[in-house]
Amino acid sequence: MDVTEIDRPETHAAERKWTVAEVEALFALPFPELMYRAQTVHRQFHRVDAVQLSTLLSIKTGGCPEDCGYCPQSKRHAGAVASEALVPVAEVLRAARAARDQGATRFCMGAAWRGPKDRDLEPVLAMVREVKTLGLETCATLGLLRPDQALKLKEAGLDYYNHNLDTAPDFYGEVISTRQYQDRLDTIEAVREVGLKVCCGGIVGMGESRRQRAALLAELANLKPYPESVPINHLVRVPGTPLAEQAPLDPFEFVRSIAVARITMPRALVRLSAGRQELGEAVQALCFLAGANSMFQGDKLLTTGNPQISEDQALLGKLGLTAEVM
Ligand code: SAM
Ligand code: DTB
Ligand code: SF4
C-alpha cells in the first residue's frame, strides 16, 4: 500500500475498524514518518511530558496449569518458578502503600491462575477493597473470568482488569495450547459488560512476523471500544521456558509496535511493559517519542526483573518527563 493511502492521524480519533493490511502499512512507513504520525496523535490526546506509573505485585506466584510458552510461572516448564501461597492481604496493603509513596497511581495484582476458583476470589476482593482505600487505581490480572466473577470484582471497587490477547490469532497456537483465543475475547467481553475498564495488550518478539504483530494490534484496536490501557510487552526470554532461545527482536521493530499502538488507539495509555531492562535507555526514550505514556515502576514485574526505581527516575529526569499525578 502507498503511504499516501493511509489515513492522516487526525482521522484516527474516531472509532474505526482497522484492516491488518492498513496496520501493516503503518509498520512499513519510513521510521521518521511513523514517529511523526504517532507524535501527532499523542499530542492530540495526551500531555507529552507525563508518564503514568503502575506497580505490579504477584499475589499468587507459580504453579500455573497453563502452558503459555513465554511464562516462567507455568508448572509445565523446566524453568518454572516455585509455587507459592496467596500473599496475605496485609502484605498486599504494605506493598500498595509503598507503591503509592513512590509515585505509582495504579496498583496491579497478578495471579498465576488459569482463572480464579470461587474460593480464590474472596481474598482478592478483600485486597481490592483495601488497596482502594489508599486512593490508588486498582487493577487485577487473574486469568479467565466468568461474568459473575467480573461483577464481584467491580462491586469490590476494581477499576481495571488486565487480560492480554498476547499475539495474533494465527500465531497464538504456536505459543499456548491450553486456552483458546476466543476464551480471551470472552473474558474481555465479560469485563466490559460489568463496566470495568480494560487493560489488554500483548507480547512482541516471540517469533511472530510483522504481519502478525500488525494483526495483534488490529485485534486490539478493533475491540469495541478499544482498551483504556494497552501493555506492550517485549518477550523476556526466561531460561527453561520454551521461548528461552528465541532470537531477539530488532529494537526498532519494538518502537514501531509502540507507535502503531499509539496511532490505532489514540486515547489509550500505551504501556511500555515487560522487557525494559533489556531495552536500555535509548530505546526506551524512542518508545516515549513513539507515544508510550505509561510503564511499570518497581524492581520486579511479577517474577522477572525491571529497572530500579532510581534508574527510572534518572531516565525520566534526563528526558524531562514527570510521573503523572492523579
Ligand atoms: N495468569 C494470568 C493470565 O495469564 O492472564 C495473569 C498473569 S500473566 C503472567 C499476565 C501477562 O504477562 C501475560 O498475558 C503475558 O502477556 C505477560 N507475560 C508473562 N510472561 C512474560 C514474558 N516472559 N515476557 C513478556 N511478557 C510476559
Ligand atoms: C502485562 O501485560 N505485563 C505485566 C502485567 N500485564 C501483568 C506482566 C509482565 C510479566 C513478565 C514476566 C514476569 O515477570 O513473570
Ligand atoms: Fe499461567 Fe498466566 Fe503464565 Fe499463562 S501467562 S502460564 S496463564 S500465569
Side-chain angles (χ1 to χ4, degrees), residues 56 71-73 108 141 162 164 199 202 231 233 236 273-274 296 301-305:
L56 277 166
C71 186
Q73 303 203 68
C108 179
T141 182
N162 166 249
N164 292 337
C199 172
N233 296 278
V236 180
S273 300
F296 288 117
L301 291 162
L302 291 172
T303 65
T304 63

Side-chain angles (χ1 to χ4, degrees), residues 254-269:
F254 184 72
V255 178
R256 283 181 186 274
S257 306
I258 298 274
V260 173
R262 166 52 65 225
I263 293 168
T264 55
M265 294 170 273
R267 289 187 178 79
L269 279 182

Side-chain angles (χ1 to χ4, degrees), residues 90-156:
E91 206 174 304
V92 174
L93 203 56
R94 261 198 304 278
R97 204 173 284 120
R100 182 194 61 186
D101 294 347
Q102 284 157 333
T105 58
R106 195 181 301 175
F107 189 70
C108 179
M109 293 159 273
W113 290 325
R114 172 179 169 82
K117 303 205 172 62
D118 287 338
R119 67 164 185 275
D120 296 327
L121 203 59
E122 286 307 321
V124 177
L125 299 177
M127 291 173 195
V128 171
R129 284 187 210 105
E130 293 286 335
V131 172
K132 199 70 195 146
T133 64
L134 300 177
L136 283 161
E137 289 182 322
T138 50
C139 180
T141 182
L142 316 171
L144 300 174
L145 278 193
R146 296 191 315 260
D148 61 301
Q149 295 176 316
L151 185 60
K152 282 187 182 149
L153 286 163
K154 171 73 183 166
E155 286 170 352

Side-chain angles (χ1 to χ4, degrees), residues 64-85:
C64 186
E66 301 297 285
D67 71 350
C68 312
Y70 46 74
C71 186
Q73 303 203 68
S74 165
K75 66 180 178 193
R76 298 166 185 247
H77 307 329
V81 298
S83 180
E84 294 173 19

Side-chain angles (χ1 to χ4, degrees), residues 170-241:
D170 67 349
F171 189 68
Y172 186 85
E174 305 279 314
V175 183
I176 300 157
S177 77
T178 50
R179 65 170 79 167
Q180 306 308 310
Y181 214 75
Q182 189 59 47
D183 297 328
R184 292 184 181 255
L185 292 168
D186 291 348
T187 288
I188 293 159
E189 175 70 22
V191 163
R192 268 278 170 240
E193 280 289 301
V194 300
L196 285 166
K197 288 186 247 188
V198 171
C199 172
C200 182
I203 310 177
V204 298
M206 297 196 291
E208 73 286 344
S209 64
R210 175 180 269 185
R211 187 172 181 82
Q212 288 166 328
R213 280 187 284 283
L216 164 66
L217 292 172
E219 282 286 334
L220 293 168
N222 289 336
L223 291 171
K224 288 283 174 276
Y226 60 76
E228 283 83 1
S229 284
V230 180
I232 305 293
N233 296 278
H234 189 296
L235 174 69
V236 180
R237 294 172 298 162
V238 183
T241 60

Side-chain angles (χ1 to χ4, degrees), residues 156-173:
L158 190 71
D159 296 302
Y160 288 81
Y161 194 76
N162 166 249
H163 196 65
N164 292 337
L165 290 180
D166 271 353
T167 191
D170 67 349
F171 189 68
Y172 186 85

